[in-house]
Amino acid sequence: MSLKRNSFIVSALLTGLVLLSISAGIEGCKPKTAASYKLTGDVVADGKYLTQQYCTNCHALVPANALTKDVWRMHALPVMADYLKISTYGSDFFKKPTDTGGISLVHWQAIVDYYNKIAPAELKPAQAPVALSSDWAGFTLRKPNEVTDVSFTTTIKGDPATGKIYTSDLVASNLTEWDTEFKPKVLTTLSSGATDIQLQNNGTAVISAVGRIDHVDYPNGRIQGFKLNGGNKTFDIAGDMPRPVQTISADFDKDGKDEIVVCGEGFKKGGVYLLKTDANDKPLKQTTIADRAGAVQAIAQDFNKDGWPDLMVLYGIGNEGLALYLNDQKGGFTTKELLQFPPVNGSTSFQLTDLDHDGNLDLIYTCGYNFHDSRILKPYHGLYIYKNKGDFKFEQQWFYPINGATKAVATDFDGDGDIDIATIAFFADMKEKPAEEFIYFEQQKPMQFKPHSAPVSQYGRWMSMDVTDINKDGKPDILLGNYASGFMFQPNFAPTWNEHLPFIVLQNNFKK
């Protein structure tokens, strides 16, 4: 095993000491007017008022029962304190005599007392609406040969035209091509591990080289291109990016050439960027669509049906939520906020599809990134369905609890004419419920799903997923990328999965 990989494994196993420690990562928050509020002595009444005034300027209010007393006191509140000009020493809070900004120490202590009084000692698991079945449903397992090194697969992408699979490993920082027999070929070395690979019609792979995978403000990510039909090295499309995690392409200005949208998740600083390239995919111009950290996924589509492509973006850090950017047909976008989520959600993915066949695109949403400051299992993490009541006014319709839900992909897997859903959970309850690491939701009636857990948790820990007809039989297969070590958040747990399988494929064998 190489020295580089050994060093990374040590670092990965200790990421709890160095990864991000806050969820509300927006700087410059200014509290609403509350400085003149007189405490009543009623801990609950005072706390409710002050949290509403001080804690909703950067993000949605986090209910007190969303975290335990210990997590509030030792993790979440110390993080919040820094934004309100309160200093900490251990578990104690104090105000510097010369610091007149932020919140008064008296008001801050009232907030602390409020959470300490009404927050629960523990969070009880949510009850699933339907029991989880352990079976393969209509899938069979395919896997490559084991590799020597520990697998740190950060993304996986299948090409339905060729049947080939493309992966990237964070430690090796490579782009690897796997043929139809799963034989690997390293195509090139990237500037860092990739978190997204988009295959263009012209044979170019547009790659999001993330830079630092942990949530820090260190903008060394790059968008790189690689010619799959004869290239031997990458070329830069954009550099100095704040942790780019995804790119999508669309012709936003209707000039006949697609532009590239980049989700630069960042940490406290990030944004959504529009890249214009020339006929050879070389960079021409970069503009900012949104100067906002936390973008984890985007979808381009003509949402208002005016003939111009728009953009919908999910944010998963700090001010979490779903935003719609409508094309103004002049080179810019107008913003419409659709949903806001509390920063403990850890929003991870979304899909849009008409689940109930009423002509409106419904929202399938997952939340479960669980390596912020509150690393405990959360009963509100999981898979959500929001019904589109018209004009993208969403109303929650269904919820299935999945600890640490990471991604959902919706399509008709079994060929019966309705939409099914596949999910992965990187931060699953690996000690007690490893089956929730992968779940296939078979839709049997409108908004009624039967969950199947294919027994694949022994083969890896799934950070990435792609759905592609990899064997060209007309049925969508599921590709799962194995990030096998690091990001541990459950104490006294030793991994039991295979650390040497870069990926597996769940081949779709449903009868059409």
Side-chain angles (χ1 to χ4, degrees):
M1 187 178 292
S2 68
L3 177 61
K4 178 182 178 183
R5 188 173 291 266
N6 265 322
S7 299
F8 184 84
I9 292 173
V10 173
S11 174
L13 293 174
L14 297 177
T15 43
L17 301 178
V18 297
L19 286 192
L20 76 156
S21 61
I22 77 169
S23 298
I26 295 182
E27 295 182 296
C29 298
K30 295 181 179 180
K32 302 170 186 177
T33 303
S36 60
Y37 178 77
K38 303 293 185 183
L39 296 179
T40 67
D42 184 325
V43 172
V44 175
D46 291 338
K48 281 184 176 180
Y49 178 87
L50 292 172
T51 53
Q52 184 64 45
Q53 295 302 304
Y54 284 103
C55 303
T56 59
N57 300 283
C58 303
H59 53 75
L61 183 67
V62 179
N65 63 359
L67 299 172
T68 64
K69 294 179 189 292
D70 288 344
V71 170
W72 276 117
R73 178 73 183 185
M74 303 304 297
H75 299 282
L77 287 173
V79 169
M80 292 165 56
D82 183 59
Y83 288 92
L84 296 173
K85 306 299 182 183
I86 296 291
S87 298
T88 59
Y89 184 80
S91 60
D92 296 322
F93 302 97
F94 65 93
K95 188 85 172 180
K96 295 179 181 178
T98 57
D99 191 348
T100 58
I103 188 175
S104 70
L105 186 59
V106 172
H107 279 182
W108 176 254
Q109 193 58 53
I111 290 175
V112 173
D113 293 343
Y114 166 71
Y115 283 113
N116 190 58
K117 182 178 180 64
I118 71 170
E122 62 179 356
L123 301 184
K124 295 182 178 180
Q127 295 298 313
V130 183
L132 185 60
S133 300
S134 179
D135 59 65
W136 289 97
F139 299 95
T140 57
L141 176 69
R142 294 183 63 202
K143 53 189 176 72
N145 293 328
E146 294 185 11
V147 297
T148 302
D149 294 325
V150 173
S151 294
F152 291 94
T153 304
T154 47
T155 191
I156 187 166
K157 184 71 175 180
D159 185 351
T162 64
K164 294 179 178 179
I165 295 171
Y166 298 91
T167 63
S168 180
D169 183 280
L170 183 70
V171 177
S173 299
N174 57 17
L175 176 65
T176 299
E177 178 183 84
W178 305 78
D179 66 16
T180 55
E181 301 299 322
F182 295 168
K183 294 179 180 178
K185 176 184 177 182
V186 176
L187 298 180
T188 190
T189 299
L190 307 172
S191 60
S192 64
T195 49
D196 183 59
I197 302 169
Q198 295 295 324
L199 304 179
Q200 309 287 72
N201 291 331
N202 63 1
T204 298
V206 177
I207 301 158
S208 300
V210 69
R212 289 281 295 271
I213 195 170
D214 48 324
H215 286 72
V216 295
D217 283 321
Y218 195 75
N220 66 333
R222 310 190 78 79
I223 305 302
Q224 298 186 295
F226 183 81
K227 298 295 185 182
L228 295 173
N229 53 359
N232 55 19
K233 63 179 181 178
T234 61
F235 58 90
D236 280 349
I237 298 174
D240 300 326
M241 282 282 175
R243 299 184 60 255
V245 295
Q246 185 206 20
T247 67
I248 60 172
S249 298
D251 186 5
F252 291 97
D253 57 7
K254 300 182 74 171
D255 67 348
K257 176 72 169 68
D258 281 357
E259 290 76 50
I260 298 172
V261 169
V262 180
C263 289
E265 184 179 7
F267 175 35
K268 296 181 183 179
K269 299 176 182 178
V272 181
Y273 309 101
L274 185 70
L275 307 178
K276 191 168 183 62
T277 60
D278 63 18
N280 296 314
D281 297 305
K282 299 300 176 63
L284 289 176
K285 183 181 179 182
Q286 176 178 323
T287 57
T288 299
I289 297 174
D291 185 15
R292 175 178 172 183
V296 294
Q297 187 191 344
I299 293 176
Q301 194 169 322
D302 181 10
F303 292 111
N304 59 358
K305 303 186 185 307
D306 64 354
W308 293 71
D310 309 302
L311 195 65
M312 197 175 291
V313 179
L314 177 66
Y315 293 89
I317 296 177
N319 185 20
E320 295 192 28
L322 188 67
L324 175 61
Y325 298 95
L326 295 171
N327 194 328
D328 66 7
Q329 306 178 21
K330 300 176 183 177
F333 297 85
T334 57
T335 304
K336 181 179 180 180
E337 300 292 340
L338 301 178
L339 289 170
Q340 191 178 27
F341 305 115
V344 289
N345 270 29
S347 301
T348 48
S349 79
F350 77 107
Q351 296 260 278
L352 297 168
T353 188
D354 185 3
L355 281 167
D356 52 8
H357 308 291
D358 66 352
N360 293 322
L361 293 173
D362 304 304
L363 172 66
I364 297 170
Y365 160 79
T366 61
C367 60
Y369 186 86
N370 209 12
F371 219 71
H372 293 295
D373 56 296
S374 52
R375 300 173 190 173
I376 56 174
L377 296 174
K378 300 177 174 70
Y380 42 86
H381 279 176
L383 173 66
Y384 290 79
I385 294 177
Y386 288 80
K387 179 176 173 56
N388 184 350
K389 307 288 284 188
D391 194 28
F392 295 100
K393 293 180 174 63
F394 292 115
E395 181 179 282
Q396 184 179 324
Q397 193 85 4
W398 189 81
F399 168 66
Y400 193 93
I402 306 172
N403 291 294
T406 301
K407 187 174 183 177
V409 176
T411 193
D412 183 5
F413 286 100
D414 56 10
D416 65 354
D418 57 24
I419 297 297
D420 312 299
I421 305 170
T423 65
I424 55 172
F426 187 67
F427 292 102
D429 181 358
M430 293 172 285
K431 293 174 69 174
E432 303 295 335
K433 298 180 181 179
E436 65 185 357
E437 290 182 54
F438 171 81
I439 302 177
Y440 163 64
F441 291 89
E442 173 194 359
Q443 186 170 193
Q444 298 180 314
K445 295 180 181 179
M447 298 294 181
Q448 293 185 24
F449 297 86
K450 180 179 180 180
H452 305 262
S453 175
V456 296
S457 61
Q458 62 184 303
Y459 298 108
R461 186 183 180 196
W462 318 119
M463 177 180 278
S464 53
M465 172 172 62
D466 187 36
V467 172
T468 307
D469 180 12
I470 206 67
N471 60 351
K472 303 182 185 180
D473 66 351
K475 296 177 289 188
D477 307 301
I478 300 173
L479 288 59
L480 303 179
N482 180 17
Y483 191 99
S485 184
F487 289 97
M488 297 300 173
F489 72 106
Q490 291 181 282
N492 305 316
F493 173 76
T496 57
W497 53 77
N498 192 326
E499 294 186 331
H500 301 281
L501 279 176
F503 65 91
I504 64 171
V505 172
L506 297 179
Q507 182 174 294
N508 188 334
N509 288 326
F510 284 103
K511 294 181 180 180
K512 297 185 69 174

